[in-house]
Amino acid sequence: MKLASTLAITAVLAAAMTIGATTPATAEAHNETAPIPGPEEDPYIWLEEARSDEALAWVEAENARTLGVLEADPRFETLKGEALAILDSEDRIPFVSFRPDGLYNFWQDRENPKGLVRRTTLESYQTDDPEWETILDIDALAAAEGKEWVYKGSSCLPPALSRCMIALSDGGEDATILREFDTSTKNFVEGGFAIEHKSQGGVSWIDENTLLVGRDFGEGTLTDSEYPFTTRVWVRGTDLANAPEVFRGESSDVSAGAYLLRDSDDVVHAMIGYRGISFHEREYFVSVNDDWIKLDLPAKANPYGIVDGHLLFSTDVDWEVDGQTFPADSLIAVDLEEWKADPNGAAKTLVWAPQERQTKRGGAITANALYVGLLDNVVGKVLEFNFEDGAWVSKQVALPDNATVGIAASSDETDQIMFTVTGFLEPTTLYYSDGSSDPVVLKTSPERFDAAGMEVEQHEATSADGTKIPYFIVKPAGMEMSGDTAVLMTGYGGFQVPRLPGYLGSTGKMWLERGGAYVLANLRGGGEFGPGWHQTAIRENKQRTWDDFIAVGEDLVARGYTSPEHLGIQGGSQGGLLVGTAITQRPDLFGAAIVQIPLFDMLRYHVIGRGASWIGEYGDPRIPEQRAWIDGYSPYQMIEEGVDYPTPFLWASTADDRTHPAHARKGAARFAEQGHDYYYFEDTVGGHSGGVDNEQRAKIQALQYIYLMQQLMDE
C-alpha cells in the first residue's frame, strides 16, 4: 500500500462533514407551483407501476397483439436471423481494456448469451485467433443463483487491478449489487466486501481493506432523482451500516459523492467531493486540513485528470479568472503541487481551445501523455498533448482522415493506446500504438452488408429560426429523386451527446440492402459542435431541437429524396421524445415512427424513473413558467382524436429504471383511447438499452424493420 493512500484514509476520516451550499431554484423555492396531473386528469397513472399485476397483464396483452402481426410477417425469421448472425459473429472485434495482467474483454455470443469476462495477452491479441482465459462466466453464475444477472462492469484496486468490485444487475436495471472478486484466483472473495441490496451508485478503492461507498443507505440518503448523495468509508470486517459518512450533498442534488484524485502512478493527491446541482452543473470540493474547500470553478467545469505534474480542468462555458478568459470547451492546467498548496490560487494556463465548429470528444491519459479526441465539423481527430520545456505542445495522431475516430482503450502504466476508425459504409478498424510510433492496424471488422453502389452525402436543412442543421444521408448512388425511396431518419439532440457516422452493420443488412436510405441528423441540443450547440436548445429553448428534426424531414421531401408516406423516424430515450414531438407536431410529414424507451409524458417525467435528474435539460413542470415550456410539446398530452398520425411503434423495457416503461405504455394507451392505430412491445427482461442477450436484441431489431417495411415499403 502506498503512503499516499494511507494519508488519504486519514484525510477522509478527518474531513467528515456536511456540505452546505446554495442550490438552484426548485419548485419548493417558488411561492406558486403548477399542479401535476393526477389520477383525475390522467387515467393511466397505474401504468407507472412497472411490475404491478395489472400493468404486466396489460403488457402481456399488448405484446401478444403486436407480435401476432409483426412476427407473422414471412420476412420476420429471415430478418431476425440476419441480425443474430451479426450480433453473434465470432469475427467481430473483441474490444479490450488494458490491465497489468493482460487485456480484458466482455464477450457475448450464442453459447454465452449473458457473457464472459475474459483476458488474453497482447501477443495473443495481435493474432487472428487469440487464446482467451475465462475469468468470470455470467451465464454459469446466473444459472447457479437463479437470477437474470447482467454484468455492469467493475471497480478495481490499483495498481494491480486484481481485486475488483463486480457490479451485477438482475434483469438489466441500472441498480446493481456489488461483490468483491479476485481476478488472480478467478473467484469471488469468501467473506469479502459485498453489497447485496440493489442500488444506484458505486464504490472506489482507497486501499485493499477500505472502500469509498456511495449507495442507498436508507431514508435520507437518496436525492429526488433517486441517486445517492452521501459517501461513506467502509473498512473491511466492519458493518457498512456503521461506516462513517465523509461527504454529504443535499436531496435536491441530482447526485453527490466523493472520490480520490490519482495520477498514472496511482499516487493519491487529493480527495474530491462533488454535488451535481443539476444534470449539467456541479460544485466541487477538495479536502484540505480536515475541511472541505469549495473549488472556484464555473458550474459547468470539472477536473479532467493529472498529466505531466499538472491538474487539468475542462469547462463548458467561458471561464473568467485571474484576468484571463478561457473559452468554452477549453482545457486548462495548473501545477499540481501549487494547486495542492492553494487549490483556488494556483496559476492557470491554457492547454487547448477549440476553433470554430470544433469540440472535444473523449480523452485518455497514459503514463506520459494526454490524448484528446476532437470533432472538427463532425470529422474525427485525436491530438496528443505533452508538457515540454515549460509549455504545452500537441500533435495530431496519424489516423485516417474523414472518418469517425475514437479512443478505444489506454493504459495508465504504459503509453499503450488503441483507437477506432469507422464510417457509415466502412467497418470499424482498431489501431494500436505503444506510444513510440504511429498507430498501426490491429484488427478490422468484416463487412456485414453489401455497400457496393451506396454513397454518403452531407446536406444542411434550415430550421425555423434560420439555423443551418447538417445531416448525412446514406443512399443508393444515382437514386432517382422521385420521392419514392423509403427513408429512415434518426437523431438525438440532447444532453450534449453527439450522433456521429458509424458503421451501419445491421441497418445496412436489414434496411439498405432492401432499397432503403438512412439519414442521421445533427440536431441542436446534441454535442456535435460543442457546448454551445447543446446549450442553445435546452429548457426554454428545447423546441429548437424538435424544429431542427422537422426541418431535416422537410428538406428530405423538398429535395425529392422521399415523401411523407415513405419517411420513417426512429429514436430512443431522449430520441424517443424527439420522435414523439415530431409525430404530434407534424403528423403529416411522417409515414412511420419508432418510439423506443422514450420520455413521453413530460408533465410527470420528474416523478417517473430517474426523471428528476433531467430538469436541467427540460425544466421543472412544477414551476409555472417552466411548465409552459414543456406544455407546448409533451407528446402524451398532445395526442388528439381525429388527427391522422402515422401508426407508431412504441417499445420499452420492464427493467428500465432510468426512463421507465411508463412513458411508452402511457403513450400507447393514449393512442388507443383516442382511436388511433399503434403497436406496442415491451421487453420484459432488458434494461434501458433493451434485450439482455443477443437473441432478444435480434428479435427487437427484426420487429422494428418489419414494422418499417410494412409502413414505408409495402403497397
Side-chain angles (χ1 to χ4, degrees):
M1 182 176 66
K2 295 182 178 179
L3 177 61
S5 295
T6 305
L7 294 174
I9 298 171
T10 303
V12 170
L13 293 172
M17 63 174 291
T18 298
I19 297 295
T22 302
T23 58
T26 63
E28 290 74 14
H30 286 68
N31 293 327
E32 181 183 359
T33 59
I36 301 305
E40 292 185 0
E41 298 84 13
D42 182 354
Y44 302 114
I45 286 178
W46 58 274
L47 287 170
E48 295 176 10
E49 293 292 331
R51 297 185 184 275
S52 72
D53 291 342
E54 187 180 13
L56 291 179
W58 180 90
V59 167
E60 184 178 7
E62 290 291 330
N63 281 358
R65 186 181 70 86
T66 294
L67 296 178
V69 175
L70 299 182
E71 285 188 332
D73 190 296
R75 296 167 293 191
F76 174 78
E77 290 299 334
T78 299
L79 285 167
K80 181 181 175 184
E82 290 174 353
L84 189 58
I86 293 173
L87 291 168
D88 276 346
S89 59
E90 295 290 330
D91 56 359
R92 68 188 190 273
I93 296 176
F95 292 101
V96 296
S97 60
F98 289 98
R99 293 194 189 181
D101 59 341
L103 304 182
Y104 277 67
N105 164 259
F106 180 67
W107 182 263
Q108 292 174 287
D109 58 22
R110 190 181 304 273
E111 285 72 38
N112 306 281
K114 296 188 184 302
L116 302 171
V117 179
R118 57 185 192 168
R119 68 184 167 206
T120 189
T121 64
L122 177 61
E123 181 181 10
S124 181
Y125 188 69
Q126 290 172 318
T127 68
D128 291 336
D129 188 19
E131 295 182 5
W132 294 99
E133 176 188 7
T134 298
I135 304 301
L136 177 60
D137 185 331
I138 305 299
D139 292 272
L141 179 67
E145 299 187 356
K147 298 285 190 178
E148 291 291 336
W149 288 133
V150 175
Y151 177 68
K152 290 284 190 173
S154 62
S155 173
C156 302
L157 171 65
L161 303 180
S162 60
R163 283 295 180 99
C164 302
M165 292 297 287
I166 300 288
L168 298 168
S169 162
D170 190 4
E173 296 176 320
D174 286 352
T176 62
I177 68 162
L178 297 166
R179 295 176 183 169
E180 186 177 3
F181 188 86
D182 189 334
T183 62
S184 61
T185 65
K186 297 182 284 190
N187 285 301
F188 287 101
V189 177
E190 186 175 352
F193 288 117
I195 303 175
E196 296 293 337
H197 172 67
K198 72 176 182 179
S199 167
Q200 302 283 342
V203 301
S204 58
W205 293 83
I206 295 176
D207 59 41
E208 62 183 343
N209 293 311
T210 319
L211 294 175
L212 276 177
V213 183
R215 302 284 287 183
D216 177 2
F217 296 115
E219 185 177 355
T221 65
L222 291 183
T223 67
D224 297 340
S225 303
E226 299 186 9
Y227 291 104
F229 69 90
T230 69
T231 300
R232 300 184 182 192
V233 173
W234 186 20
V235 177
R236 190 182 299 278
T238 64
D239 188 345
L240 177 58
N242 298 325
E245 183 179 291
V246 297
F247 189 86
R248 171 178 285 260
E250 296 184 11
S251 62
S252 59
D253 296 340
V254 171
S255 65
Y259 62 91
L260 298 181
L261 183 65
R262 283 185 165 97
D263 63 21
S264 59
D265 293 323
D266 299 313
V267 174
V268 176
H269 291 275
M271 162 73 71
I272 301 291
Y274 70 89
R275 294 182 55 226
I277 56 177
S278 80
F279 191 88
H280 305 295
E281 299 172 304
R282 283 190 172 189
E283 294 177 346
Y284 284 92
F285 306 82
V286 61
S287 177
V288 177
N289 297 326
D290 301 345
D291 199 3
W292 288 102
I293 304 299
K294 186 176 183 294
L295 297 181
D296 292 337
L297 299 174
K300 294 183 178 180
N302 59 275
Y304 196 78
I306 296 175
V307 183
D308 289 336
H310 291 78
L311 174 61
L312 271 59
F313 296 90
S314 174
T315 179
D316 279 353
V317 294
D318 289 351
W319 182 4
E320 297 182 8
V321 60
D322 300 333
Q324 307 176 80
T325 299
F326 298 105
D329 217 15
S330 296
L331 287 174
I332 300 101
V334 297
D335 179 85
L336 180 59
E337 294 304 319
E338 185 181 345
W339 177 83
K340 288 162 66 175
D342 185 359
N344 287 318
K348 297 166 182 65
T349 304
L350 180 68
V351 177
W352 176 84
Q355 302 299 311
E356 186 178 4
R357 297 179 81 82
Q358 282 187 338
T359 184
K360 300 191 304 297
R361 178 179 174 255
I365 298 171
T366 64
N368 295 295
L370 165 69
Y371 292 85
V372 177
L374 302 181
L375 290 179
D376 192 344
N377 201 22
V378 202
V379 173
K381 298 178 180 179
V382 177
L383 298 182
E384 177 187 346
F385 291 85
N386 289 279
F387 189 72
E388 297 176 356
D389 299 325
W392 289 96
V393 296
S394 67
K395 64 178 181 179
Q396 185 172 333
V397 177
L399 293 165
D401 296 327
N402 299 316
T404 297
V405 178
I407 299 171
S410 62
S411 170
D412 294 336
E413 295 188 322
T414 69
D415 287 322
Q416 296 180 100
I417 190 165
M418 294 182 185
F419 308 94
T420 55
V421 177
T422 188
F424 287 121
L425 303 178
E426 296 77 33
T428 300
T429 299
L430 184 66
Y431 286 76
Y432 167 81
S433 173
D434 64 4
S436 65
S437 58
D438 290 343
V440 296
V441 174
L442 185 57
K443 294 185 181 295
T444 299
S445 177
E447 294 183 353
R448 303 301 182 191
F449 64 96
D450 183 4
M454 297 181 188
E455 63 182 5
V456 180
E457 294 178 355
Q458 187 178 25
H459 298 289
E460 288 184 332
T462 303
S463 195
D465 63 358
T467 301
K468 300 298 183 181
I469 307 301
Y471 68 89
F472 295 94
I473 180 168
V474 186
K475 65 180 185 65
M479 183 181 82
E480 289 188 18
M481 307 295 276
S482 61
D484 294 331
T485 300
V487 172
L488 173 60
M489 182 171 81
T490 69
Y492 190 75
F495 298 95
Q496 205 170 320
V497 174
R499 286 292 308 276
L500 306 173
Y503 189 58
L504 289 175
S506 296
T507 298
K509 185 67 180 176
M510 304 167 74
W511 184 248
L512 296 180
E513 279 193 0
R514 289 173 168 84
Y518 175 86
V519 170
L520 176 61
N522 300 131
L523 313 172
R524 285 177 292 179
E528 291 86 349
F529 299 106
W533 191 250
H534 166 243
Q535 292 166 19
T536 192
I538 62 173
R539 294 170 63 81
E540 69 269 28
N541 294 317
K542 196 63 200 170
Q543 180 62 39
R544 290 175 178 171
T545 302
W546 324 140
D547 289 342
D548 293 354
F549 197 56
I550 289 168
V552 173
E554 291 174 333
D555 197 69
L556 291 168
V557 172
R559 292 177 188 267
Y561 285 123
T562 191
S563 53
E565 60 266 32
H566 297 298
L567 177 56
I569 51 179
Q570 177 186 35
S573 194
Q574 145 69 22
L577 174 59
L578 172 71
V579 172
T581 61
I583 61 172
T584 52
Q585 294 185 21
R586 284 296 307 276
D588 60 304
L589 186 57
F590 308 105
I594 297 176
V595 187
Q596 59 193 59
I597 53 174
L599 292 167
F600 211 76
D601 179 359
M602 297 303 289
L603 296 187
R604 286 182 56 83
Y605 85 97
H606 63 292
V607 296
I608 300 173
R610 302 289 177 263
S613 65
W614 307 317
I615 285 173
E617 182 80 10
Y618 303 112
D620 190 334
R622 296 167 294 184
I623 299 173
E625 177 189 5
Q626 298 182 23
R627 173 169 173 151
W629 310 337
I630 299 166
D631 253 335
Y633 67 75
S634 179
Y636 180 60
Q637 286 78 21
M638 297 284 285
I639 299 168
E640 298 177 349
E641 186 178 4
V643 177
D644 187 15
Y645 298 107
T647 299
F649 179 17
L650 303 98
W651 72 267
S653 168
T654 309
D656 180 6
D657 53 351
R658 196 180 311 173
T659 58
H660 199 282
H663 287 281
R665 291 175 179 178
K666 292 171 66 175
R670 183 60 65 93
F671 275 115
E673 175 194 280
Q674 298 298 318
H676 302 294
D677 292 333
Y678 68 95
Y679 291 102
Y680 182 83
F681 176 75
E682 186 163 317
D683 175 17
T684 56
V685 290
H688 185 67
S689 300
V692 299
D693 58 46
N694 290 341
E695 179 82 18
Q696 187 73 348
R697 294 185 186 108
K699 175 180 177 177
I700 293 171
Q701 287 184 22
L703 291 173
Q704 293 178 90
Y705 285 107
I706 287 293
Y707 159 80
L708 289 170
M709 291 174 190
Q710 291 181 353
Q711 300 296 314
L712 303 178
M713 291 181 170
D714 294 352
E715 294 296 331

